[in-house]
């Protein structure tokens, strides 16, 4: 049973990625100074690829696609953001003895719970020794990846978070190598169920994170 960890909820629609990074940095600073409570910020971004420090040149998208590629300070590899994807930034003070990897595991489990309520059986995966980190959430029935997660912590406060594909266009994922895994097949709630809506998904995700 997960310990309770209520969060304050901020909600926005489409926010430019770089503007969102500026606001997230301010939220993190407030949390480090105990000037704000633990926070979940739900939003979406216009089309953008974001790359982690370890992303290989060969994994980058073809520039002719016209989708910007932005370096980011989070952990993890290349990911795509676009309309129809629910992004959640988690600005949370880690508990004593808790590391960012421990918290990522909790994030995965909370998203598995949210997806179950929506009707998509899903699971987190343990990483076999020596392989690329299997951070994120996969569908149980089709074995596709539905949530990408990349987080970091600074002065015990987490930043960045998760991206859940709801009902957006999945084709940009095919322009690059997502998550450092050439064989991964990305999916969305709409692809798995044949229907999905952001209006239905947002409150379920917020509730799974005890966010209000």
């Amino acid at each position: 049973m997960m310990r309770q960890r209520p969060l304050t909820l901020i909600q926005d629609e489409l926010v430019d990625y770089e503007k969102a990074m500026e606001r997230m940095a301010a939220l993190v600073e407030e949390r480090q100074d105990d000037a704000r409570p633990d926070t979940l910020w739900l939003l979406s971004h216009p089309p953008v690829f974001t790359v982690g420090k370890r992303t290989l040149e060969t994994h980058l998208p073809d520039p002719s696609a016209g989708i910007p590629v932005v370096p980011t300070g989070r952990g993890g590899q290349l990911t795509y953001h676009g309309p129809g994807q629910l992004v959640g930034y988690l600005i949370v003070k880690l508990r004593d003895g808790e590391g960012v990897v421990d918290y990522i595991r909790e994030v995965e489990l909370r998203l598995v719970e949210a997806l179950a309520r929506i009707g998509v059986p899903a699971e987190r995966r343990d990483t076999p020794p020596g392989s690329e980190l299997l951070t994120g959430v996969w569908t149980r029935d089709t074995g596709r990846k539905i949530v990408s997660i990349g987080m970091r912590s600074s002065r015990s406060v987490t930043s960045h978070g998760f991206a859940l594909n709801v009902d957006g266009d999945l084709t940009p994922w095919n322009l690059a190598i997502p998550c450092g895994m050439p064989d991964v097949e990305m999916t969305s709630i709409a692809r798995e169920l044949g229907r999905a809506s952001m209006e239905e998904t947002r409150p379920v995700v917020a509730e799974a994170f005890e966010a209000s």
Side-chain angles (χ1 to χ4, degrees):
M1 190 61 189
M2 267 181 291
R3 285 183 293 173
Q4 286 187 311
R5 195 187 309 243
L7 306 179
T8 292
L9 182 63
I10 302 174
Q11 297 213 63
D12 280 299
E13 297 297 323
L14 220 53
V15 180
D16 175 78
Y17 183 78
E18 283 161 315
K19 284 197 176 68
M21 290 303 97
E22 286 170 24
R23 182 167 185 207
M24 185 180 71
L27 294 173
V28 167
E29 205 169 303
E30 287 173 18
R31 185 67 193 97
Q32 288 168 336
D33 296 340
D34 289 323
R36 80 156 27 253
D38 290 338
T39 301
L40 169 63
W41 181 17
L42 292 178
L43 65 159
S44 295
H45 293 305
V48 62
F49 286 103
T50 68
V51 292
K53 295 185 180 79
R54 298 180 303 114
T55 302
L56 301 175
E57 195 75 22
T58 51
H59 291 183
L60 297 177
D62 185 326
S64 68
I67 298 174
V69 177
V70 179
T72 176
R74 62 169 167 74
Q77 296 269 10
L78 175 141
T79 197
Y80 168 74
H81 297 302
Q85 181 192 71
L86 183 61
V87 172
Y89 291 127
L90 288 152
I91 295 91
V92 170
K93 185 160 276 190
L94 296 169
R95 296 175 171 137
D96 286 345
E98 182 180 41
V100 71
V101 174
D102 302 311
Y103 184 55
I104 286 171
R105 185 161 294 126
E106 178 183 315
V107 171
E108 290 170 334
L109 293 172
R110 287 182 185 273
L111 288 163
V112 165
E113 186 186 300
L115 284 162
R117 288 186 46 206
I118 289 164
V120 179
E123 62 191 7
R124 62 170 302 277
R125 293 181 176 179
D126 286 314
T127 304
S131 80
E132 186 59 47
L133 271 178
L134 295 179
T135 308
V137 177
W138 277 257
T139 56
R140 203 174 292 153
D141 298 341
T142 57
R144 299 171 181 143
K145 193 171 189 185
I146 193 164
V147 178
S148 304
I149 297 175
M151 296 187 71
R152 62 179 297 235
S153 70
S154 169
R155 285 171 47 204
S156 299
V157 173
T158 67
S159 58
H160 299 275
F162 62 85
L164 165 62
N165 299 319
V166 180
D167 58 357
D169 178 13
L170 291 171
T171 52
W173 288 104
N174 302 327
L175 301 170
I177 306 234
C179 318
M181 291 182 275
D183 303 327
V184 76
E185 188 182 356
M186 302 302 294
T187 193
S188 63
I189 296 171
R191 183 178 179 189
E192 297 300 314
L193 293 183
R195 56 174 182 78
S197 80
M198 203 58 95
E199 291 68 32
E200 182 194 356
T201 306
R202 275 175 177 259
V204 174
V205 169
E207 194 175 322
F209 280 92
E210 304 171 63
S212 59

